[in-house]
Amino acid sequence: MCGIIGIITDNPKEHQPRARAMMDSLLHRGPDGEGMAVFKKCLLGHRRLAIIDLSGGAQPMYNASGAVAVTFNGEIYGYQELKRKLASYPFRTTSDTEVILALYETYGESFVKELPGMFAFALWDERTSTLIAARDRFGEKPFYYATGRNGEFIFASEIKAIIASGLVEPVLDTDSLAHYLRKLYVHPAKTIYKNIHTLPPAHMLVYKNGTPAISRYWHMPETNESITLEDAVPEFKRLAIDAVKKQLVADVPVSAFLSGGLDSTTIVSIASQFSSNLKTFSFGFEGTKNELAFAKLAAQQYGTDHYEFHDRDYKVDELIMRMADIYDEPFADSSDIPTYLISKHAREHTTVALSGDAGDELFGGYGWYRS
């Protein structure tokens, strides 16, 4: 992941120290590099985790004329094919980030509809003093925004970065707090603060003349309910293999989290077909919920380089306070601590890790799907 920040104001040069504080708060998202672009009324910042085009993919990235720049967090799946379709654009890097600039120059503001992958980005066009920001279709990458005390428009990958700007004093949203206490999560269309907002998945934000306009750019496609089981099985396999294969494109090592369940095992089984010596990581709990044995069997089946971690090696009470800093908002999912720990350890061996999140919903992995 990377970290993006930005401030739209009449005096962006004076706000560079604030932007620096915002970027510093996101160091954990991008330890491999940083950059800042300053225009007449906009400042963009970036913290980079280098995955594709390690030497040429620095951000914010400009177009050929320098009038347009983008700060981007995520990955554009199948970007090589997109580059072939956009052959008339003068590409200068092998980075997927530059595809965003090429699509914008080709399609204008509607370009987001042509963009596959997981992403949150902000693109500034100096020629029209327009900011275009968007979040991917299912909200894998975060995008938060707020209005500063002097009318500044501020955005970032995390709430902590907006607060670090010193331009926003967060105000608790009691409705969001009540929703959390009832449902154990903050409503995805809101945040825990009244004055800090989240851009919904599959939406774009266009900021021009001091006003943000938010619109939906994508809707769920119609389902083919007439497809037969005989036809559905090979089609599902084709789509699953294609999805995993596209996410293996990187100039750094790619690994996978492996619980031994249906979701992560399916991902590993596919990834192992295209990646030799795939590294896998598992986290185990003491007692009946320990799934390390199943993960180990899967690792042996697919010949992965397997690593195990255990909850007995950590003091959970000390980690609970750490979670509050990591998630920025109340978060009641019991997987938060093991997810943090396995990610922390995996980073010592790899840069990218695939997971089976949402796999149980797609593959029918929960018991109630069989009832």
Side-chain angles (χ1 to χ4, degrees):
M1 62 182 177
C2 297
I4 67 173
I5 66 101
I7 304 173
I8 299 178
T9 176
D10 288 334
N11 53 344
K13 289 185 178 180
E14 297 178 12
H15 282 70
Q16 288 186 69
R18 297 184 184 277
R20 167 61 56 196
M22 295 174 71
M23 292 165 60
D24 288 347
S25 74
L26 299 179
L27 174 62
H28 57 282
R29 298 185 70 92
D32 297 331
E34 63 177 55
M36 191 182 298
V38 182
F39 294 93
K40 291 181 181 178
K41 291 191 175 183
C42 177
L43 185 155
L44 301 177
H46 188 263
R47 292 280 343 181
R48 188 185 186 203
L49 179 66
I51 296 174
I52 295 174
D53 193 356
L54 306 188
S55 60
Q59 296 185 49
M61 185 176 288
Y62 296 85
N63 69 345
S65 69
V68 180
V70 65
T71 182
F72 160 61
N73 168 35
E75 185 174 351
I76 306 306
Y77 301 145
Y79 74 96
Q80 301 100 324
E81 182 179 347
L82 277 173
K83 290 184 74 171
R84 287 191 288 270
K85 293 179 180 179
L86 298 164
S88 61
Y89 183 83
F91 286 100
R92 297 173 293 168
T93 75
T94 59
S95 169
D96 57 341
T97 305
E98 197 171 11
V99 170
I100 300 174
L101 295 168
L103 286 171
Y104 175 65
E105 295 287 70
T106 304
Y107 296 103
E109 290 186 8
S110 64
F111 79 101
V112 182
K113 298 176 182 178
E114 310 294 328
L115 195 62
M118 57 174 182
F119 54 80
F121 70 83
L123 179 149
W124 176 260
D125 191 334
E126 183 74 353
R127 298 167 298 193
T128 59
S129 295
T130 302
L131 180 83
I132 301 173
R135 193 174 176 203
D136 62 71
R137 290 159 178 78
F138 293 98
E140 291 186 67
K141 294 301 181 182
F143 188 96
Y144 297 97
Y145 64 96
T147 300
R149 63 172 64 93
N150 300 310
E152 304 92 347
F153 182 79
I154 309 155
F155 64 85
S157 294
E158 297 183 19
I159 291 174
K160 63 171 62 69
I162 290 178
I163 296 174
S165 73
L167 296 169
V168 177
E169 185 67 33
V171 178
L172 181 68
D173 187 335
T174 53
D175 289 340
S176 288
L177 178 59
H179 185 280
Y180 170 76
L181 294 174
R182 291 195 305 269
K183 304 289 187 178
L184 297 182
Y185 64 91
V186 176
H187 193 283
K190 303 182 72 175
T191 77
I192 198 66
Y193 301 113
K194 286 183 178 180
N195 54 343
I196 299 178
H197 314 284
T198 182
L199 184 63
H203 281 67
M204 63 184 296
L205 182 153
V206 178
Y207 187 93
K208 192 172 185 178
N209 298 324
T211 303
I214 297 173
S215 61
R216 190 180 187 98
Y217 68 84
W218 182 81
H219 293 81
M220 287 286 291
E222 293 184 6
T223 57
N224 181 5
E225 297 181 0
S226 63
I227 192 170
T228 65
L229 182 61
E230 290 181 348
D231 292 333
V233 170
E235 177 64 3
F236 184 89
K237 287 183 177 178
R238 182 190 69 81
L239 291 170
I241 291 171
D242 185 57
V244 173
K245 187 176 181 180
K246 286 180 177 178
Q247 295 184 59
L248 293 172
V249 177
D251 296 327
V252 293
V254 178
S255 62
F257 294 159
L258 179 60
S259 68
L262 180 64
D263 48 5
S264 63
T265 302
T266 300
I267 301 299
V268 169
S269 70
I270 297 172
S272 63
Q273 299 175 35
F274 305 101
S275 178
S276 60
N277 197 32
L278 182 73
K279 286 182 170 60
T280 51
F281 304 92
S282 298
F283 193 91
F285 299 87
E286 295 295 323
T288 58
K289 289 188 177 181
N290 194 337
E291 298 177 330
L292 286 178
F294 300 105
K296 189 172 184 178
L297 285 173
Q300 292 172 346
Q301 172 69 27
Y302 299 110
T304 70
D305 183 12
H306 191 58
Y307 298 80
E308 294 182 351
F309 310 104
H310 303 263
D311 64 339
R312 62 173 179 264
D313 299 327
Y314 306 95
K315 294 182 178 179
V316 175
D317 55 340
E318 295 177 358
L319 289 168
I320 289 175
M321 297 305 294
R322 177 78 176 119
M323 295 304 103
D325 180 56
I326 289 172
Y327 289 101
D328 280 351
E329 299 182 273
F331 186 71
D333 194 317
S334 59
S335 68
D336 59 350
I337 292 177
T339 299
Y340 163 72
L341 291 173
I342 197 172
S343 299
K344 183 175 182 293
H345 285 292
R347 186 65 180 93
E348 298 173 2
H349 303 275
T350 187
T351 303
V352 178
L354 305 184
S355 77
D357 282 356
D360 281 317
E361 287 77 10
L362 288 172
F363 306 141
Y366 293 122
W368 58 75
Y369 288 122
R370 297 188 293 273
S371 61

